[in-house]
Structures are given as structure tokens and as C-alpha cells.
Amino acid sequence: MVIDLTNDSDSEDQIQSQLRTEYATHGQASPSFTLAHRVVSPVVPQKRKPAVEQIPSLSKPTRALLNSVSLNGHVPSHSIPHRVQSHTTTTHAAHPDRQRLPSTPSPGLDPTTAPLPTVVVPSPSRHLKREIDRARVVQSTPHSTPPLSGLSDRFFPTNDYEKRARRGAYPVAKTHPVDRRSVPLLIGRTAPVLTAQRPRVADQLLRALQRKLATIKGPPVTFAAGNEHLLADFAANFEFINAYKIRPGVEPLKEEFIGGCGCSGFCDPTRCVCLETEEENSDRKLIAYGGAADDPLVLVLRPEILHRTVMIVECGARCNCEKACWNRVVQRGRTVRLEIFHTGERGFGLRSPDTIRAGQFIDCYLGEVITEEKADIREEIATAQHGHSYLFGLDFYPPSDETEGIYVVDGERFGGPARFMNHSCHPNCRMIPVSHTPGDERLYDLAFFAVRDIPPMTELTFDYNPGARESGRPTKIDPSAVRCLCGEKNCRGQLWPNQRKGTK
């Protein structure tokens, strides 16, 4: 007899049904009892492995016990495992030679003559085999895995650049090159991609110049025909602006300290507090603007102001008067068209296609507002490189504190159209300081006005050094001064020994 210790899935009802069929075949009554195990065939299935030596997971005592059962069928009662005894339901009589093991009687067989049971040990399942294999791998890996260190390429790769280079390299050429002789040559209309021409750099610069000029407020600013490419090359490193660019270190006066008048509508020239007095101990107000001779609605500088060194104070943002007040000429901006052209030896120049009246406002000089210390550095660089200087010092009022210094306007890289006005010893324009923030003596506008009537397409010029002697040619020219190229009869031959220009 064979006792199957495997976990079979046959239910108790199926086993009892089988036993009743066998008893009915032999003509015996079916006993009424419950079986704990079914009777199996003495033939061991192919998947079973009764050999004890093939089960590596059994302990040595269990393996010895199973060997003794297989050889002589004699097993001591105290050595039977608990799981074998728990499945036994019937005990046979004692054998005359050896003690009988408990077994389940087989139908139709004499219990006294039945053969001794044979224990069938189940083979390990697939899950158990995987666990056994995994345990063997884990036991063999500690010595095969190198210890972690800073030189391990697994955790600290040193060939990342080579890998990136291989990924970003050009694709490898095809192993089978194309035979060009077998490819037919098609002659027909050229594709659009072959006829399209890329825009030239000069054309791109020209379009960039047009976009920059279009950002200037007021009447249009154009360039002369034939000089557009020269101006486009220059404007590649130049930006047109509509107001000062305040740089670090420059602090405008706070709004609460800026004054203003209380006039309603239009200011009264005799009582407006924004107007300066003509003299120190006089109550007479300095009225700068008046109507033009040919058109009273056009406001221009009065003739007596054109040749005086004065500061014009206009009504500002803190005043109650209207925006159309007669004392807001410069704030309303430019009213004439301008054109930039190339003069030849003197570089670029500025002119207007419109007629400009005497005393009419033209434009303001714009640029970066920097401190005097930074202006000194830029001036030294321009002198060392024998370049031009576009520095204008806001020095109309002397600084109240010697440590403060003055502010300087630099129009080399940022500026407006007035930046292209050249010097002349007999100029037709003049720069006059104009302020619309009463109380702020360090920051104001540099406004250009016409000193006489200017016909259309006449070059606009002003004196870079108005304080110099104007009568006669100097007997000795300073070698460090900039040579004058105005060509006027009263040309002084030199501009100034210092690069920086002032407002006086």
C-alpha cells in the first residue's frame, strides 16, 4: 500500500463514491465511515520523486527515517513525523516480526496480509524551486559584487561625454552607396527653393534701421537716399530713444520736493511761480516764449532770450495749468521733420525738409545719464582711442556739495536724432538748458533752438564750445584739441582741448 502525503485536490465525496463502486463490484456492503485519504495506485506518477536523495531541502533525520522505511518498512513509533501520524485513521494488528505502521485498510484485502505502506515524498513546487535558486544566487553574489567606491563607473560614470558625443554624432554612412550613374537626370523647372535668394546682410541692417527710426516719437525721421547702407552699418550698434536712460548712481529729485504753479487754465506770465526772474533783485519774470512773427500760434523763443545764457523753466507735472499751456513748448516735443545724411569728411549730419523759424524748438539731446566718475572713464577711453566724445555735462548750476559732482549725458550708444548735429563756428542752432522739474538743479533737458531762419535741407549745426573766443583765428592751436572742419570764414581751427562739452 502507498500513503500519499501530497496535497491532492480530490474531495472526500469523490473518494467515498469510488469506494462504494469498488464494494458493489465485489458484492460487499458499503461500510459507513469517512476516509481521510483516498486509495491511490501503487504506480507512482511521473512527476513524483520518491527517492529521498533528490530532495535537498530535507533534514538529515528525516532523510534517514525515509531511507529506513524504503528498505525494510520498519519505522519506530516515536520517530514517525507528526504529519504522517495525523493522517492515519486505522491501526493494524502487530506483525509477528516487526511492528506494523498504522495504515488505511484497502477494500477487499486482508489487513493482516497487506503489504507495508510506502511513503511518497512530494517533489518541490515551481515556487519552491525559484526560492531555492534565488537563495543559491544570493549566497554566491556577495563576493562577485565589487565594493562601492568613488571610482565605480556604475555609480560615478566617467564617460558621459563620450556617450553624449556618440548620441549627437552624425549618422553613419550607408553601407550600400547609391549608384549615381543609375539615377536619371531630370531637367525641368527649377524648384522654388533653388531660385529663392537669401537676403543680404546690408538689406537686413537697412530694415533694422527703418524699424528703429519708426520708434521715434513725433514727425518722421528719415535718411537720405544713397546713404542708407552707411547709416545702417552705424545703427547696428546704436539705439534711438525718446527720453533719458537713467543709469545707476543718478538719483532724480523726489516728487514731493518738486514745485509747481497753481494757475488754472493757462499761466499768467506776471504771476506764475514757475518762471524765473530776469535778475537777482528784480520782480520781473523771465518770459521765454512768444508767438512767431508770421504765425502767432507758433510759439518760439523771444529774440532777447536767444543770445542769453539762461535756464528756461517750464511748467511741469505738479502744475495745475493745462497741457496746452504756452509754457510747455519743449515738453510737447518736436514739431519738424528731420533727415539724417552723410556729409563726407565730417561724418553724419542732420537737416530738415521743413522751414524752421528763428527761435523754434527743434529737438533735445538724449542719451545715458551717468555720474561724473563714469564719464571720466569713458572720456579717457575715447581720448586713448582717438575717438569722438558725445558727453555733455549738466553743469549749468554748480554742485552744492563738492562730493556730489554733476551728471553727464552720453549719447554715443543711445540717443535721438540731435546726436548727429555737427559743430560749426557759425552755427544756426543753439543748445539751451530747459527744466520742467522746478527744484531739481542736477537733471534737466538739453534743448536745441534755431537762432535764425533755416531754409529747408540746410544742415543743422551748433557750437560745441560756445565759450571760446569767436573773433579771429587763434594764433596757436592746442595739439590735444579736436580739429575743426566746419569750413566757415571765422573758423577757429580747433574745437576744445577737452573732450567733454558743457551747457554754458
Side-chain angles (χ1 to χ4, degrees):
M1 177 181 293
V2 179
I3 298 176
D4 190 358
L5 300 182
T6 60
N7 295 329
D8 294 330
S9 61
D10 295 341
S11 64
E12 185 177 352
D13 296 339
Q14 295 176 355
I15 298 173
Q16 291 181 5
S17 175
Q18 182 180 0
L19 290 177
R20 291 189 186 97
T21 304
E22 293 180 2
Y23 273 98
T25 304
H26 293 84
Q28 299 178 5
S30 176
S32 175
F33 56 86
T34 302
L35 296 179
H37 298 280
R38 65 182 174 91
V39 178
V40 297
S41 175
V43 181
V44 181
Q46 186 65 26
K47 69 175 183 178
R48 309 299 184 185
K49 297 180 181 179
V52 180
E53 291 77 2
Q54 298 179 6
I55 306 176
S57 61
L58 297 178
S59 61
K60 290 182 178 180
T62 306
R63 187 180 292 107
L65 175 62
L66 296 178
N67 288 331
S68 63
V69 172
S70 301
L71 293 176
N72 52 25
H74 181 268
V75 180
S77 61
H78 61 82
S79 301
I80 298 175
H82 182 267
R83 66 184 178 89
V84 177
Q85 294 179 5
S86 62
H87 292 282
T88 304
T89 59
T90 307
T91 307
H92 295 277
H95 194 273
D97 297 330
R98 58 181 180 272
Q99 185 178 358
R100 301 282 298 183
L101 285 175
S103 62
T104 302
S106 299
L109 298 178
D110 187 1
T112 59
T113 62
L116 294 177
T118 301
V119 179
V120 178
V121 180
S123 60
S125 61
R126 294 181 181 179
H127 177 72
L128 182 58
K129 287 182 179 180
R130 288 196 299 268
E131 294 295 334
I132 294 173
D133 295 340
R134 188 178 302 172
R136 290 175 180 173
V137 173
V138 171
Q139 291 177 1
S140 61
T141 52
H143 299 287
S144 61
T145 303
L148 300 180
S149 64
L151 302 178
S152 177
D153 289 342
R154 178 181 177 185
F155 301 98
F156 302 96
T158 58
N159 58 346
D160 278 352
Y161 289 103
E162 289 79 0
K163 292 181 180 179
R164 293 180 182 178
R166 287 193 295 270
R167 288 196 301 265
Y170 287 100
V172 182
K174 295 182 180 179
T175 56
H176 302 286
V178 179
D179 187 6
R180 298 296 180 184
R181 292 175 298 180
S182 62
V183 178
L185 179 61
L186 301 178
I187 301 177
R189 295 184 60 184
T190 308
V193 69
L194 299 178
T195 58
Q197 297 181 359
R198 297 182 59 184
R200 296 183 304 171
V201 176
D203 296 336
Q204 296 179 0
L205 293 177
L206 182 59
R207 287 195 292 268
L209 173 62
Q210 293 173 346
R211 289 194 299 267
K212 291 180 180 181
L213 293 177
T215 61
I216 303 176
K217 295 181 180 179
V221 178
T222 59
F223 47 85
N227 304 145
E228 55 271 11
H229 295 295
L230 295 175
L231 183 60
D233 293 338
F234 162 79
N237 296 321
F238 183 82
E239 294 294 333
F240 289 94
I241 57 178
N242 295 294
Y244 281 149
K245 273 192 169 297
I246 306 298
R247 295 307 187 187
V250 178
E251 298 179 359
L253 188 65
K254 295 182 179 180
E255 186 178 356
E256 54 266 24
F257 297 105
I258 297 177
C261 65
C263 303
S264 61
F266 294 92
C267 294
D268 185 355
T270 60
R271 293 182 298 177
C272 182
V273 296
C274 295
L275 303 180
E276 294 283 341
T277 56
E278 292 186 359
E279 298 179 2
E280 184 177 355
N281 298 325
S282 174
D283 295 335
R284 186 178 177 182
K285 298 291 183 179
L286 181 62
I287 302 174
Y289 303 115
D294 58 338
D295 189 353
L297 297 179
V298 178
L299 295 175
V300 296
L301 279 180
R302 298 174 63 184
E304 58 269 20
I305 305 297
L306 280 175
H307 303 284
R308 295 178 56 179
T309 304
V310 294
M311 166 75 76
I312 299 176
V313 180
E314 294 186 350
C315 295
R318 301 295 298 273
C319 297
N320 294 330
C321 58
E322 297 179 358
K323 300 298 181 181
C325 177
W326 62 270
N327 197 29
R328 295 175 182 263
V329 175
V330 175
Q331 294 178 64
R332 284 197 291 268
R334 176 171 49 88
T335 58
V336 296
R337 295 177 297 169
L338 297 176
E339 182 183 79
I340 303 173
F341 70 103
H342 197 268
T343 62
E345 187 179 8
R346 293 180 294 116
F348 292 101
L350 188 67
R351 61 191 179 189
S352 175
D354 302 330
T355 300
I356 302 177
R357 300 175 177 85
Q360 187 173 354
F361 168 66
I362 299 175
D363 203 358
C364 287
Y365 188 87
L366 301 176
E368 303 173 86
V369 183
I370 58 178
T371 59
E372 191 173 12
E373 293 77 12
K374 293 182 179 179
D376 293 339
I377 298 175
R378 297 187 182 186
E379 189 173 2
E380 291 178 1
I381 294 175
T383 303
Q385 297 178 353
H386 302 284
H388 298 284
S389 174
Y390 299 90
L391 300 172
F392 273 88
L394 303 179
D395 56 354
F396 188 85
Y397 293 108
S400 57
D401 188 358
E402 295 181 357
T403 60
E404 287 184 353
I406 62 173
Y407 295 148
V408 181
V409 180
D410 187 5
E412 183 176 4
R413 298 298 179 187
F414 299 87
R419 186 254 191 208
F420 299 95
M421 292 181 64
N422 287 322
H423 163 80
S424 176
C425 294
H426 184 61
N428 52 19
C429 300
R430 182 188 179 190
M431 175 186 288
I432 298 178
V434 178
S435 174
H436 53 84
T437 56
D440 192 353
E441 298 180 350
R442 304 182 65 188
L443 194 61
Y444 49 85
D445 294 331
L446 302 175
F448 288 99
F449 294 87
V451 295
R452 58 178 180 268
D453 293 338
I454 303 176
M457 306 306 291
T458 302
E459 183 180 2
L460 305 177
T461 58
F462 74 104
D463 194 346
Y464 285 5
N465 189 15
R469 179 169 56 90
E470 298 182 2
S471 58
R473 186 180 181 89
T475 56
K476 185 177 180 181
I477 299 177
D478 193 332
S480 62
V482 178
R483 188 167 62 95
C484 181
L485 301 174
C486 66
E488 298 288 344
K489 295 181 180 180
N490 61 339
C491 179
R492 300 190 295 268
Q494 63 182 3
L495 298 182
W496 65 94
N498 192 356
Q499 289 285 328
R500 187 181 308 171
K501 297 175 280 292
T503 56
K504 288 185 179 181

